[in-house]
Amino acid sequence: MNSSLERSWKAHKLIERLGQKLNRQVVGSLVACVHCGMCTESCHYVLANPDDPTFAPAYKGDQLRKIFKRHYDWTGSVFPWWVKAATVDSEKDLEDLKDIAFGKCTNCRRCTFNCPMGVDLAAFNRVTRGLLTYVGVMPDGVSVVSKDQWEIGNQMGVLKEDYLDTLEWMQEELQSELDDPTMTIPIDKPDCEVIYTINPREAKYDPRSIADAAKIFNVVGEKWTMPSEGWDMTNFGLFSGDDELGGAVARRVYDKVQELRAKRLVMSECGHGYRSTRCEGPNWAKYDVPFTMESSVVTMLDYVTSGRLKVDKTRNSIPVTYHDSCNFARSCGMTEEPRELLRLVCTDFREMYPNRADNYCCTGGGGAMSMSEYTPRRLKSAKVKADQLAATGAKIVVTSCHNCVDGLNDLIRHYKLDMKVTQLVNLVATAMIMPEKVKPVAVPANGATVLSATNGDEAFALAKSEKPHLLTLDLAMPGKSASEVFEELRRDPALAGLKICIITGRPELRKTIYDRAVQPPEGYLDKPLTEQSLLTNVKKVLEVAHHQS
Amino acid sequence: MNEPSAHLHFASHRLQEVALLFMAVVYTIRLIWYFRFPAAQERQAPTGGGWSTPDKGILFSLLIIATPWEMESTRKRWFLWCQFVVFHLGVAASIALSFVIPYLPKLLTSTVVVGGLQLILGLACLVGVMRLVRRVGNMHMRAISSPDDYFSLALLTVWLGIAAATAPNNVTRGEGLQLTYFYVTAFFLMYVPFSKISHYLYYPFTRYYLGKSFGRRGLFPIRRGPEPQA
């Protein structure tokens, strides 16, 4: 290395920045390593490259440790050669550091779990990435994606109009597929129970997953919306190590949730997005989040276990295995919920070994999919994962992470495995039993005329103009909430004689009707409905009304 | 039992006291330095339900070294973990010996005590040699080793060997062994704070912070699924 007198400006700034980024946890990890080598074989790069010691986690960690020791630790300052302390001076030093921090580690955190000393090697590899990013030394892909996320607001540079077009398109697809105009993807609807955010990859390459999620929300009658801004819950700050970017992106999402006064932020299946928004974002943004944040895996599991969503697992009978995303399993503890859900929606679930916190990275993590210069290295290291997948005998690998979907697809192609990759949302949507639609034919057959409205406003207008004898009101409806429509109908003197029958698959919402300070509805029906039960109740309500009159 | 010479008395008392004091001062400075770094705050809402809390995480994390089945690295390489146990027991025994000889020499009149100490110290010395061989012979270990790594391990191995030989505390053939043991011990005590041997000073903190964070995130204690069927 050159003498410090010849140190480049970037190297100088990197060393200076390191001093600003040191905290007790990072310093602890930097000073506590005893070079015992126990972490070595925990790394998939080492397993795939057994003859190259530069892939060893401790070796990779030492690249930052030596700079720390040389500039911020006493022994290394006085006797650098004794503890292998060293500095960075030239552009080449920085490029070498970049090659290791970005190209030889996916920050999967498997080594952290295997370190007897509790050294969080993945955390300080991220610090190294952050230092390099700070001085502009990073892979082109990382630079481009970060720029998009800073400037356009999402990591794939999806323009707002394209995003909204995609949502509209998916809504039309959904309505056409199910022949149901009440299926909607609401945008920027305030005061919802759920605000749903996604990975831009879904808007760009996999809109079907948005439609599947929308189908689920609609069927359970969730009061939900998607935001027009702050919809990207992924965060390249996690991969680039740039806490400022991380904080800014997370804040965009939090601010939008606050603006729309949603109660819960639900994130689609994305390991790094979930980790960034749920776990790290509040720290980066220094934001005490006042609302609940959860993965859609938890939301779907809740729908199924509570009976709000009926599923038929026999519709997913092909053998499946589950790949634990590193960010999901090793940074957020999300290991059991996906399995519980899988067992509810599939008939043949097979564990992969090792699994959960011991699982191997898909090799596409840590932003690796955006760093094409390291692709051959990545695919070589993917042999470990390929062997793991093949040993399961499954035909489908399920994962709750979009990065993993891409990483796994890549390695499946490369190693010619007979498998395909999917996500839980797709399996749930397949297994979902659509509630039987109430066919109005039964009622007309009995001498009545049926008028239909697709939302609250339309129902109100129709009731005013047509003055029907009976109005059935589904608690899950697009637009205005059913309870608001109910109260408006009741308070309108022109509709004083209108009989109302509530229909819902969500009994817990009863109180939103019965707690209102107006006359309660004349009828109440639980879903699923049969034509007979509908007919009986309609007759009953009308007969009572007739007797009363 | 013969009375120790003034030289041995100095080496086993005053020299050790000075070395210990030096070590304590340096450790104190070291801890002050360490605690001047701010601790990162965890703002995320807790996850994990009942099985995982910060307190449980901390406890799990601190005890992980005694629960080798919890980490794949120790679960799969149990022989290395056994070496670790023997080596550290040896270090503890050698430290204890440096107090027993000057303050409780009568303990060493028991052949059981001496035999036990020699067995532990001898095995630990053997493990030290094995660790040196691994560090020199394994390319991954060589790549991460600094002069301090080699020297610290060699120093401990030699010290354990000398301690094993000194344990009977027999001065009938001269005090050379005792003097060597106490001088090496004093050097060891003064060198430790500057070397990797001081890792035990940081262990509670790295483990504490990792356990606290991982406990909050539902990661510690680690949840495992069933093992593959044969």
Side-chain angles (χ1 to χ4, degrees):
Chain A
M1 288 197 185
N2 304 330
S3 81
S4 57
L5 287 173
E6 298 165 19
R7 181 173 295 139
S8 75
W9 179 85
K10 284 183 179 177
H12 173 75
K13 294 305 284 183
L14 182 139
I15 293 163
E16 190 180 88
R17 180 71 168 170
L18 173 59
Q20 295 161 4
K21 299 304 285 183
L22 293 174
N23 62 38
R24 211 174 291 160
Q25 283 88 334
V26 172
V27 171
S29 280
L30 287 166
V31 294
C33 179
V34 286
H35 292 147
C36 67
M38 293 298 277
C39 56
T40 306
E41 285 159 24
S42 63
C43 177
H44 59 276
Y45 279 109
V46 174
L47 297 177
N49 301 274
D51 299 327
D52 187 347
T54 65
F55 284 104
Y59 180 88
K60 292 181 272 193
D62 273 357
Q63 306 315 304
L64 179 66
R65 188 176 286 112
K66 67 185 184 184
I67 304 169
F68 165 79
K69 284 190 171 175
R70 182 70 184 88
H71 295 280
Y72 296 98
D73 195 13
W74 52 8
T75 325
S77 306
V78 182
F79 305 109
W81 60 275
W82 189 245
V83 292
K84 268 192 170 175
T87 190
V88 280
D89 285 320
S90 62
E91 297 289 317
K92 182 180 179 306
D93 293 341
L94 298 179
E95 285 295 323
D96 290 347
L97 196 56
K98 179 187 91 173
D99 185 66
I100 286 186
F102 286 98
K104 292 188 173 179
C105 175
T106 55
N107 282 0
C108 79
R109 230 174 191 176
R110 203 166 187 276
C111 50
T112 301
F113 273 72
N114 282 289
C115 172
M117 287 297 295
V119 172
D120 197 349
L121 284 152
F124 72 79
N125 192 62
R126 183 176 175 274
V127 171
T128 310
R129 288 182 172 198
L131 299 175
L132 289 163
T133 299
Y134 182 70
V135 296
V137 178
M138 60 187 126
D140 289 344
V142 174
S143 171
V144 169
V145 177
S146 299
K147 186 170 176 287
D148 278 346
Q149 206 155 23
W150 270 120
E151 294 176 0
I152 302 175
N154 66 83
Q155 61 151 298
M156 288 197 174
V158 178
L159 298 175
K160 185 175 177 178
E161 49 269 37
D162 293 336
Y163 162 72
L164 295 174
D165 277 352
T166 304
L167 296 189
E168 198 182 326
W169 167 41
M170 282 302 107
Q171 178 175 285
E172 287 165 6
E173 288 279 309
L174 204 54
Q175 290 174 345
S176 144
E177 178 195 328
L178 302 173
D179 188 23
D180 186 347
T182 65
M183 291 275 167
T184 58
I185 300 181
I187 296 162
D188 283 347
K189 186 174 156 190
D191 301 310
C192 282
E193 180 66 31
V194 164
I195 188 164
Y196 185 61
T197 54
I198 58 168
N199 182 319
R201 181 184 170 279
E202 295 177 74
K204 204 162 181 172
Y205 303 115
D206 187 19
R208 189 64 229 174
S209 62
I210 302 173
D212 281 347
K215 193 197 282 186
I216 293 167
F217 285 132
N218 275 282
V219 165
V220 300
E222 188 60 87
K223 192 173 175 188
W224 74 295
T225 189
M226 289 185 75
S228 61
E229 306 272 0
W231 52 270
D232 177 8
M233 52 79 176
T234 68
N235 198 321
F236 231 68
L238 182 72
F239 298 150
S240 67
D242 182 351
D243 290 350
E244 279 71 28
L245 174 62
V249 172
R251 191 173 279 276
R252 269 181 216 149
V253 177
Y254 304 152
D255 285 347
K256 192 66 185 177
V257 178
Q258 296 267 63
E259 181 196 317
L260 294 175
R261 299 184 300 277
K263 289 185 188 147
R264 254 187 313 157
L265 169 63
V266 173
M267 290 159 271
S268 69
E269 291 173 81
C270 175
H272 102 264
Y274 177 75
R275 178 181 169 190
S276 301
T277 310
R278 169 73 168 74
C279 305
E280 315 291 355
N283 300 328
W284 295 330
K286 295 181 174 50
Y287 199 112
D288 291 314
V289 177
F291 48 84
T292 304
M293 294 191 274
E294 70 185 30
S295 161
S296 60
V297 174
V298 173
T299 315
M300 290 187 289
L301 179 61
D302 176 57
Y303 290 156
V304 178
T305 53
S306 67
R308 284 175 71 181
L309 192 68
K310 304 272 189 283
V311 288
D312 175 5
K313 62 157 79 174
T314 60
R315 292 180 189 173
N316 291 312
S317 56
I318 300 172
V320 301
T321 187
Y322 181 70
H323 163 78
D324 288 278
S325 132
C326 303
N327 284 310
F328 235 37
R330 268 191 291 270
S331 285
C332 302
M334 187 77 80
T335 55
E336 305 313 305
E337 295 86 346
R339 287 176 168 77
E340 208 179 321
L341 186 54
L342 266 177
R343 290 193 181 97
L344 290 166
V345 298
C346 299
T347 54
D348 188 354
F349 166 57
R350 304 171 180 190
E351 275 291 6
M352 181 187 305
Y353 296 98
N355 54 53
R356 297 173 170 81
D358 288 334
N359 188 35
Y360 286 107
C361 178
C362 68
T363 67
M369 298 308 291
S370 65
M371 307 174 207
S372 54
E373 59 269 55
Y374 304 126
T375 301
R377 202 184 278 174
R378 172 171 61 80
L379 286 171
K380 186 180 178 192
S381 76
K383 176 79 169 59
V384 179
K385 189 81 231 174
D387 291 346
Q388 223 191 337
L389 291 175
T392 65
K395 296 292 173 200
I396 294 175
V397 53
V398 183
T399 184
S400 290
C401 173
H402 282 279
N403 256 324
C404 296
V405 169
D406 287 341
L408 292 170
N409 270 324
D410 228 16
L411 77 87
I412 284 170
R413 266 195 305 273
H414 186 75
Y415 289 99
K416 300 182 173 55
L417 302 180
D418 180 21
M419 289 184 109
K420 65 173 190 174
V421 189
T422 193
Q423 293 202 288
L424 269 161
V425 68
N426 310 118
L427 294 179
V428 172
T430 305
M432 184 168 70
I433 299 171
M434 293 300 288
E436 200 177 324
K437 279 179 72 177
V438 180
K439 297 182 181 70
V441 288
V443 183
N446 285 273
T449 305
V450 177
L451 305 168
S452 298
T454 55
N455 60 50
D457 289 326
E458 213 179 301
F460 189 74
L462 205 60
K464 294 262 286 183
S465 62
E466 303 297 328
K467 301 257 185 332
H469 292 105
L470 173 70
L471 185 143
T472 61
L473 194 60
D474 196 318
L475 289 192
M477 60 160 66
K480 204 179 276 184
S481 83
S483 56
E484 285 169 330
V485 175
F486 171 71
E487 185 163 345
E488 274 179 42
L489 291 166
R490 277 291 191 240
R491 290 197 184 283
D492 192 321
L495 298 172
L498 178 65
K499 308 299 166 200
I500 301 176
C501 181
I502 301 296
I503 298 178
T504 185
R506 299 187 59 188
E508 74 275 15
L509 294 183
R510 273 178 74 118
K511 64 182 174 62
T512 63
I513 296 291
Y514 287 92
D515 284 356
R516 299 225 165 219
V518 290
Q519 186 192 333
E522 283 75 12
Y524 176 90
L525 274 171
D526 274 323
K527 281 184 185 172
L529 284 182
T530 62
E531 288 182 12
Q532 190 53 46
S533 66
L534 175 64
L535 209 56
T536 308
N537 274 276
V538 165
K539 278 182 177 170
K540 206 169 174 181
V541 171
L542 292 176
E543 272 170 23
V544 171
H546 177 71
H547 287 307
Q548 282 172 347
S549 65
Chain B
M1 192 177 288
N2 296 333
E3 280 298 306
S5 69
H7 188 186
L8 182 56
H9 187 271
F10 161 78
S12 62
H13 286 80
R14 185 55 52 86
L15 182 62
Q16 300 306 309
E17 288 155 14
V18 170
L20 275 170
L21 184 67
F22 177 79
M23 186 174 80
V25 169
V26 179
Y27 273 166
T28 305
I29 295 170
R30 195 74 176 151
L31 286 177
I32 291 169
W33 169 82
Y34 177 65
F35 277 96
R36 283 175 66 188
F37 291 101
Q41 282 192 338
E42 181 78 283
R43 289 173 190 264
Q44 75 146 80
T47 47
W51 81 87
S52 177
T53 63
D55 287 347
K56 284 183 183 173
I58 291 165
L59 192 66
F60 175 85
S61 182
L62 287 167
L63 293 178
I64 206 162
I65 204 64
T67 52
W69 56 90
E70 295 291 3
M71 283 189 297
E72 186 191 79
S73 56
T74 44
R75 193 167 59 236
K76 281 190 174 171
R77 291 185 290 174
W78 59 270
F79 188 57
L80 280 179
W81 183 80
C82 293
Q83 287 182 26
F84 147 82
V85 173
V86 170
F87 192 68
H88 285 79
L89 282 177
V91 171
S94 188
I95 291 168
L97 187 66
S98 71
F99 287 94
V100 169
I101 292 176
Y103 300 111
L104 289 165
K106 281 185 183 171
L107 267 182
L108 299 175
T109 56
S110 157
T111 51
V112 175
V113 172
V114 171
L117 276 173
Q118 284 192 305
L119 180 67
I120 294 168
L121 290 163
L123 283 174
C125 179
L126 181 65
V127 168
V129 173
M130 290 163 76
R131 287 180 154 206
L132 266 174
V133 169
R134 176 169 173 255
R135 192 166 286 280
V136 174
N138 180 305
M139 74 168 144
H140 287 100
M141 295 301 289
R142 276 200 308 277
I144 56 175
S145 297
S146 66
D148 172 51
D149 290 318
Y150 293 112
F151 181 75
S152 294
L153 186 52
L155 174 67
L156 277 163
T157 306
V158 168
W159 181 58
L160 289 164
I162 295 170
T166 311
N169 198 24
N170 186 347
V171 291
T172 51
R173 299 172 82 178
E175 293 176 339
L177 209 51
Q178 276 78 1
L179 284 168
T180 307
Y181 170 67
F182 281 112
Y183 274 106
V184 173
T185 303
F187 175 76
F188 169 75
L189 291 174
M190 289 194 278
Y191 177 68
V192 164
F194 303 100
S195 76
K196 74 163 206 169
I197 308 170
S198 62
H199 63 278
Y200 62 87
L201 183 71
Y202 306 109
Y203 179 86
F205 304 112
T206 53
R207 278 274 155 216
Y208 170 85
Y209 285 117
L210 193 74
K212 189 177 171 187
S213 171
F214 280 20
R216 190 179 177 84
R217 292 180 178 206
L219 297 163
F220 278 180
I222 298 172
R223 291 200 293 183
R224 292 221 151 72
E227 290 298 311
Q229 292 176 352

